[in-house]
Amino acid sequence: MSTDNYNRPPLWFIIVIIVMMLPLFSWPFVMTSLDPADEYSTKWLMTVIFPIYAILSGYYAYKCYAQRKELSIILLCVLLLSYAAIGFYLYC
């Protein structure tokens, strides 16, 4: 076994990441609310790409917590702001 210097994030941070990922379970309902005629629009593209961005943000926040705690928190804050922005973009 290799002796790498990786420490797991604390339990509270893992719970925060899981809570930040919970809105993705409602994403199929968001996809069905879109108009199929707008398949080539920016709104459709953003709706398809956003779950990939959210999952990668959570993954990178988890992985970089041991080395750079501030970066992990910034990633989750930007993800929270992105949830607000995509909700505003889709429903307003």
Side-chain angles (χ1 to χ4, degrees):
M1 294 238 101
S2 67
T3 58
D4 56 344
N5 215 4
Y6 178 72
N7 296 324
R8 288 185 55 195
L11 182 61
W12 67 268
F13 193 74
I14 294 172
I15 291 172
V16 168
I17 292 174
I18 290 171
V19 167
M20 294 292 287
M21 295 297 123
L22 286 178
L24 293 178
F25 288 112
S26 68
W27 213 253
F29 300 114
V30 172
M31 291 297 292
T32 57
S33 70
L34 289 177
D35 187 18
D38 292 338
E39 188 172 323
Y40 298 107
S41 69
T42 306
K43 187 182 282 189
W44 189 83
L45 181 66
M46 292 295 291
T47 308
V48 171
I49 291 176
F50 184 76
I52 298 167
Y53 163 73
I55 291 170
L56 287 176
S57 292
Y59 173 74
Y60 288 131
Y62 176 82
K63 289 302 265 185
C64 75
Y65 185 83
Q67 306 279 320
R68 299 181 179 183
K69 294 174 179 67
E70 297 84 12
L71 182 61
S72 296
I73 293 169
I74 290 170
L75 279 171
L76 291 181
C77 289
V78 170
L79 178 61
L80 183 64
L81 291 172
S82 298
Y83 278 127
I86 198 82
F88 181 76
Y89 182 65
L90 289 177
Y91 297 114
C92 292

